Amino acid sequence: MDRKARQAGLPWRVRVAAVVERLPVILPDKEEWETDYEELDAYLKQFGRDYPKELGFRPGAPNTEGGESWVTNYDEILEELKEMGYTPAPRETEADASGEINTMDRRLKERAYLSVKDKGSNGGWAPFPTTFVGEDETILAAAKRATSEAVGSKLELYCPSNCPLAVDMYAYKEPKDHFGIKTFFLKMQFDDGDVDDKKMQAEDYGWLARDEVVDRIKEQRGDVQSKLYHYLL
């Protein structure tokens, strides 16, 4: 497409999409095989190294006579902690149960992404805050501006790189002043703060997991467009 744009002598309109990411808060659930492996590994390690019988000792090995074992699983450890007065936080939150998306306290085991619904979008959700890049503006500066305009300036973001994740090009069917739109996707990570409901310009917002973003894009734009976000996130 770049070659066709040069042949037509027309520039691109440059747009940026701010991919604001909240990292996982807790570790994901372990698969059954992982738990089995860790328990077996702990059981075998309790016997220590195998020294010659002539030495008459096995340093570091516990006394396992009578079938006793030092190995305990996570459920047993958790029960002991509860007896000591420790109450673990739930891994599934109230927002998970109710389906509320206007909070970061959901889908804690996964990465969540800030998704917005622009005013006048006829019910459609934009996957991320977007804006066109100004003439004297960097892509990163435009991404920060897009986020603050959409949901206010109370979100503190960590920007790991000036390099975009990907670019999506759309050519106009009948180009005039511009050949089309280039959308650069720039990742930023949530550090502190929250959405400012009073100053946000977006009609609505939500913190969505990868599969939720892909499903919404698939419903609104089709399967082909949804694949971009499946591999992007």
Side-chain angles (χ1 to χ4, degrees):
M1 286 192 183
D2 275 332
R3 179 181 297 177
K4 292 182 179 179
R6 289 194 297 269
Q7 291 173 348
L10 294 173
W12 291 89
R13 292 196 72 187
V14 179
R15 186 168 62 179
V16 63
V19 185
V20 181
E21 175 187 60
R22 187 223 66 197
L23 295 174
V25 179
I26 60 177
L27 293 174
D29 295 329
K30 292 184 178 180
E31 299 286 346
E32 184 178 356
W33 66 267
E34 292 180 279
T35 304
D36 292 343
Y37 170 79
E38 290 179 355
E39 291 181 1
L40 175 61
D41 184 57
Y43 172 77
L44 295 175
K45 284 182 177 178
Q46 73 176 332
F47 297 105
R49 297 180 179 178
D50 189 13
Y51 289 92
K53 296 180 180 180
E54 290 78 9
L55 293 178
F57 70 97
R58 293 168 60 193
N63 181 13
T64 58
E65 294 181 3
E68 296 181 0
S69 174
W70 285 8
V71 178
T72 55
N73 58 36
Y74 291 107
D75 293 333
E76 293 173 349
I77 295 173
L78 189 59
E79 288 300 323
E80 292 181 4
L81 291 173
K82 286 181 179 179
E83 293 176 1
M84 299 168 57
Y86 171 76
T87 303
R91 295 177 63 81
E92 304 293 334
T93 66
E94 294 181 3
D96 291 323
S98 65
E100 182 184 356
I101 63 173
N102 302 121
T103 175
M104 282 182 278
D105 192 30
R106 65 185 304 271
R107 303 291 289 265
L108 302 182
K109 293 173 274 190
E110 305 168 68
R111 299 170 187 261
Y113 301 91
L114 178 64
S115 184
V116 296
K117 180 181 179 182
D118 295 326
K119 292 181 180 178
S121 59
N122 297 323
W125 282 72
F128 312 115
T130 59
T131 189
F132 286 101
V133 181
E135 291 185 5
D136 299 324
E137 192 175 32
T138 64
I139 293 177
L140 177 58
K144 291 180 178 179
R145 177 171 58 82
T147 305
S148 61
E149 288 176 353
V151 296
S153 56
K154 288 186 177 180
L155 274 179
E156 295 183 16
L157 304 173
Y158 165 64
C159 308
S161 175
N162 289 308
C163 181
L165 293 171
V167 59
D168 185 28
M169 295 185 288
Y170 171 76
Y172 293 141
K173 293 181 179 179
E174 296 181 1
K176 294 182 179 179
D177 297 331
H178 295 85
F179 188 77
I181 299 176
K182 275 186 179 181
T183 303
F184 291 92
F185 295 86
L186 191 74
K187 177 177 282 189
M188 300 184 290
Q189 293 178 343
F190 163 78
D191 188 35
D192 198 5
D194 204 346
V195 171
D196 190 347
D197 294 325
K198 296 181 179 179
K199 295 185 178 180
M200 61 181 288
Q201 297 182 18
E203 183 178 337
D204 200 1
Y205 75 96
W207 292 92
L208 307 179
R210 175 193 183 189
D211 62 300
E212 295 174 315
V213 174
V214 172
D215 288 344
R216 290 186 182 227
I217 294 298
K218 187 174 183 179
E219 181 181 347
Q220 295 176 12
R221 307 182 188 178
D223 186 58
V224 175
Q225 275 288 318
S226 69
K227 288 182 178 179
L228 168 65
Y229 295 89
H230 174 79
Y231 293 106
L232 177 70
L233 304 179

